[in-house]
Amino acid sequence: MSGQARGLNNFISDLRNSKSQEEESNRIEVELAKIRKKFNPGDRKLAADGSNPALSSYQRKKYIWKLVYIHVLGYEVDFGHAEVLTLVRSKKYAEKTVGYVALSLLLRGSDPVMGSIVDTIRADLVTAPAQGKKKKKADVKNDAVQCLALCSLANISGLELIQAMHLQVRQVLATPESSEQVKKKSALCLLRLTRTSPNLISGREFAPHLAKLLQDQHLGVLTSVMSLLNGLASQHVADYESLIPHVVHILGVLVIKKQCAREYLYYRTPSPWLQIKLLKFLQMYPNAVEGHDIGMDASGYVSQLINVVSKILMETDVSDSINKSN
């Protein structure tokens, strides 16, 4: 980024070297006026979407990064939306990255211009995974683009945008071809959407999809899915009671068998963060875990759960290390 955004680095240096708040504000006002003039020069015809076609890729990215930085500093930025949307629509990954970051920070779901970008976000979400094809450097990386779209959608929110996009997010999450990174992002994105619109998902219809996701071998995916499951179950407890056996099985794998990738091992404890999420889910069903409502193999799962809890209570290593206590 340093090679392509020297002007941005100089601008940030000027702000950091400001000796007073007034000096910083004056510098920002001058820069905002300059950027506004670049976006709408007055003597040139703008594109149909309101963007300035005369701007190069370097210029557009540089000016948008400056607006993002100004916004992060706490100043109001109420223009440049057309240029942001132009970057989001780009086929170049470097431009699309800048566009989605700015989209997340500078726009909201209720903004009128969001209606014109829904199709682009939807297309980026459902991008088909690559099947071994060699890509050129200028080509968009499918997984990365899907993650950008998911992060932006979660940050922007907005009821109309949620209603338009939640089915695509569910599709991405449930698709077996989706990568682990995309599954994690889509689960957390869907959690954010359901917090904004609690009745977005029918638990009885979605529970079978979650059951398949709980069979994933990647602990990162399981951790994100459990965050989603806990959020959904807290809203509609009864709809997800059928998933108790899957949750107990995962606990057994972690605690009894200690099957855990090295990167998820914390002081010889297999993925303690996932264990906590699993136990929090079971805490919502105090009657079911007694074996009354789990199903045919209830006694087996209850027995396994008892073994798991006993092992956690009796065999967890105790240490005086402050780091481990965290």
Side-chain angles (χ1 to χ4, degrees), residues 259-273:
Q259 294 181 4
C260 177
R262 186 177 182 84
E263 58 267 26
Y264 289 95
L265 198 63
Y266 185 76
Y267 284 91
R268 294 183 292 178
T269 301
S271 190
W273 309 277

Side-chain angles (χ1 to χ4, degrees), residues 199-249:
N199 296 320
L200 192 65
I201 293 177
S202 170
R204 298 189 183 279
E205 295 179 3
F206 194 58
H209 297 291
L210 287 174
K212 292 181 180 179
L213 289 168
L214 290 174
Q215 299 174 29
D216 199 292
Q217 300 299 313
H218 194 281
L219 292 183
V221 174
L222 290 177
T223 303
S224 296
V225 171
M226 281 307 304
S227 295
L228 172 61
L229 177 55
N230 284 338
L232 294 174
S234 65
Q235 298 169 356
H236 306 284
V237 178
D239 292 347
Y240 301 95
E241 193 170 343
S242 61
L243 298 179
I244 291 176
H246 298 279
V247 171
V248 174
H249 173 72

Side-chain angles (χ1 to χ4, degrees), residues 54-127:
L55 291 176
S56 65
S57 173
Y58 167 79
Q59 290 175 316
R60 184 174 282 111
K61 288 187 293 183
K62 180 180 67 174
Y63 295 140
I64 293 300
W65 274 130
K66 287 183 178 181
L67 292 182
V68 168
Y69 188 73
I70 292 172
H71 171 79
V72 169
L73 290 179
Y75 294 88
E76 183 178 1
V77 177
D78 58 359
F79 68 97
H81 295 171
E83 306 299 338
V84 171
L85 300 187
T86 299
L87 290 174
V88 174
R89 295 190 185 101
S90 174
K91 298 298 181 183
K92 295 181 179 180
Y93 178 68
E95 295 183 359
K96 192 176 282 287
T97 302
V98 180
Y100 269 120
V101 171
L103 186 70
S104 300
L105 294 173
L106 302 182
L107 283 84
R108 289 291 174 265
S110 58
D111 291 337
V113 296
M114 288 304 302
S116 64
I117 202 66
V118 169
D119 290 338
T120 300
I121 299 177
R122 181 181 288 112
D124 288 340
L125 279 179
V126 299
T127 300

